[in-house]
Amino acid sequence: MKVLIINCGSSSLKYQLIDSDTEEVLAKGLCERIGIDGRLVYQKAGCDKEITEAPMPTHKEGIQMVLDALTNEKTGAISSLSEIDAIGHRVVHGGEKFACSAIVDTAMIDALEECTELAPLHNPANLIGIHVCQELMPGVPMVGVFDTAFHQTMPEKAYLYGLPYEYYEKYKVRRYGFHGTSHSFVSKELAKFLGIDINHSKLIVCHLGNGASVSAVVDGKCVDTSMGMTPLEGLVMGTRSGNVDPAILEFIAKKENLDLAGVMNVLNKKSGVYGLSKGLSSDFRDLEEASASGNVYATKALDVFCYHVTKTIGAYVAAMNGVDAIAFTAGIGENAPIVREAVVKNLEYLGVKLDEEQNQLRGKNTKISAEDSKVAVCVIPTNEELAICRETVALLK
Ligand code: AMP
């Protein structure tokens, strides 16, 4: 099957066309600056990137340009749209309604619209992507794959906040968790790579990218994760604060003369390693370089980030009463040996031993713990598009 994967953001969309039989990416790219001006990046497998600037007032023009590029006579990856057998959509928030991926139909769209309140920045864009594909490719089966679904197995004690229970009953205020497609994919890959039976395993996945979260996975099912009702909870991230004392919101609002939206903007966009490094960068490449040349704020930012990951791993070892293996994934997890080293340094009490040479490798599944390490530590590159492709095919078969 040829599956088109669509990941719609508010002003951008990423896409991949995957042959599900070979799992080969036939073409990929993105539309940027939707609603501003418009830029299409298209890359057929084995070819250079092509960049086209053209007006994209809405996602519709963007997706139309993607379809035109895919079927272009000279550089297209397919000769006609009829070759696209299915479409897999990444959807950020499935609330409590979706504990697994679902075929897109009217009932599913209605349910998704009800979840929009929980992810006002993301779900509307995801819904637009679904509607536009229905319009431009009528009859092609579509599947929604949710960032929250994998975490729906969390027990009540892990997902309830210490808030009046009525808030959960009335408004569904609870922890949902995100990056679920990645946590699900990486936990399965980790077990497969190590030859562990996932149905009898205790795994921890550290998805460390610009957004970052850790999850605890017992017997293949998520039992806890660090993000909450929104992706702001948990670890210190690129620009997001992660956990803070909630009373700080009122304190900062008064001191800086900010309203609630202003404080939320600080927590989402001006905090994390970016804020800690005094606005130097949210990118770990910049922070590592600055830290190496003596910038103390970059060093502080890296220290705080790594400390929180270590602490969260410790919490999940306690939650699971043990751990068999730990995986690092996403931009930082896959590419920053310094971060991995700093994170596992304080896991000696678990019998974790790092293989420093292996820890320098990147780009493929790699065991970075020493042979006599009691807990296996690995780098497992994530592949959310492939995960969405697999889910789509599995549901449609
Ligand atoms: P993601 O959100 O998974 O795409 O991760 C993006 C982040 O990964 C970037 O903002 C960087 O902080 C980090 N990153 C990417 N490449 C490297 C690298 N070679 N070394 C350190 N960090 C990296």
Side-chain angles (χ1 to χ4, degrees):
M1 275 172 86
K2 287 185 182 129
V3 185
L4 180 62
I5 311 300
I6 298 276
N7 179 356
C8 269
S10 53
S11 66
S12 66
L13 82 83
K14 293 188 202 143
Y15 64 92
Q16 281 193 8
L17 183 68
I18 301 179
D19 181 331
S20 67
D21 299 325
T22 59
E23 299 200 331
E24 185 195 348
V25 178
L26 304 173
K28 64 178 180 181
L30 71 155
C31 297
E32 293 172 297
R33 301 178 60 83
I34 299 172
I36 306 165
D37 35 33
R39 185 172 187 263
L40 171 78
V41 180
Y42 170 78
Q43 188 173 26
K44 184 181 166 181
C47 301
D48 289 338
K49 270 184 193 163
E50 288 170 34
I51 294 172
T52 316
E53 316 259 349
M56 273 179 210
T58 68
H59 287 73
K60 186 172 172 186
E61 290 79 14
I63 294 181
Q64 185 62 62
M65 280 182 73
V66 171
L67 299 180
D68 290 345
L70 286 171
T71 51
N72 181 286
E73 226 174 288
K74 283 192 190 136
T75 54
I78 48 178
S79 49
S80 113
L81 285 185
S82 62
E83 286 183 50
I84 298 178
D85 298 298
I87 303 167
H89 290 272
R90 178 194 179 212
V91 183
V92 169
H93 216 308
E96 286 189 324
K97 293 187 187 296
F98 297 100
C100 54
S101 305
I103 292 179
V104 175
D105 56 17
T106 316
M108 190 267 207
I109 291 175
D110 290 347
L112 199 52
E113 265 157 9
E114 282 175 41
C115 302
T116 297
E117 209 182 27
L118 294 169
L121 297 179
H122 296 100
N123 272 26
N126 303 152
L127 270 163
I128 289 172
I130 290 174
H131 287 308
V132 171
C133 287
Q134 278 181 325
E135 200 182 325
L136 298 178
M137 285 177 281
V140 178
M142 300 199 283
V143 167
V145 179
F146 302 90
D147 266 19
T148 48
F150 181 60
H151 305 302
Q152 277 295 302
T153 48
M154 278 195 285
E156 200 178 50
K157 65 185 174 191
Y159 72 67
L160 284 179
Y161 287 114
L163 288 170
Y165 192 73
E166 293 78 10
Y167 294 168
Y168 170 59
E169 290 178 314
K170 283 197 281 189
Y171 312 123
K172 295 288 171 218
V173 172
R174 51 158 284 179
R175 306 183 62 253
Y176 292 94
F178 296 86
H179 297 139
T181 313
S182 176
H183 285 289
S184 166
F185 178 85
V186 172
S187 55
K188 289 183 183 76
E189 287 290 305
L190 175 65
K192 214 184 326 165
F193 178 61
L194 291 173
I196 295 176
D197 176 6
I198 195 156
N199 298 314
H200 297 92
S201 66
K202 292 175 180 175
L203 310 175
I204 291 177
V205 176
C206 306
H207 177 109
L208 309 180
N210 204 22
S213 64
V214 181
S215 66
V217 183
V218 175
D219 302 341
K221 294 190 174 64
C222 177
V223 294
D224 208 344
T225 192
S226 58
M227 282 180 167
M229 172 154 156
T230 76
L232 184 55
E233 189 182 337
L235 303 175
V236 171
M237 305 179 217
T239 61
R240 281 173 248 166
S241 63
N243 293 343
V244 291
D245 177 347
I248 292 173
L249 275 72
E250 188 194 24
F251 185 83
I252 293 298
K254 282 188 186 153
K255 289 282 182 199
E256 296 272 316
N257 197 21
L258 292 170
D259 60 9
L260 199 50
V263 177
M264 292 311 293
N265 188 48
V266 172
L267 296 183
N268 273 305
K269 306 221 169 107
K270 304 215 161 119
S271 301
V273 290
Y274 172 81
L276 283 164
S277 66
K278 288 198 161 180
L280 176 73
S281 179
S282 60
D283 192 306
F284 275 59
R285 288 163 285 201
D286 301 333
L287 295 172
E288 282 177 16
E289 201 184 307
S291 172
S293 39
N295 182 316
V296 291
Y297 300 102
T299 306
K300 284 182 213 296
L302 292 171
D303 284 351
V304 173
F305 177 86
C306 295
Y307 177 68
H308 280 263
V309 180
T310 308
K311 223 165 68 158
T312 308
I313 293 174
Y316 289 170
V317 173
M320 299 193 294
N321 192 14
V323 61
D324 299 316
I326 300 169
F328 286 92
T329 195
I332 301 159
E334 291 170 31
N335 295 301
I338 289 181
V339 169
R340 296 194 295 259
E341 188 178 341
V343 168
V344 301
K345 211 171 81 189
N346 266 16
L347 301 179
E348 274 173 6
Y349 74 100
L350 292 172
V352 170
K353 281 194 204 157
L354 193 68
D355 180 323
E356 281 169 27
E357 266 177 43
Q358 287 289 106
N359 188 35
Q360 300 307 316
L361 302 177
R362 64 181 68 183
K364 61 179 171 68
N365 291 350
T366 307
K367 191 167 161 186
I368 59 167
S369 51
E371 276 315 309
D372 58 345
S373 179
K374 288 207 180 106
V375 177
V377 183
C378 297
V379 174
I380 306 286
T382 191
N383 191 337
E384 289 170 271
E385 289 77 15
L386 180 57
I388 294 172
C389 174
R390 286 180 184 169
E391 288 278 311
T392 303
V393 172
L395 260 181
L396 294 175
K397 266 195 174 151

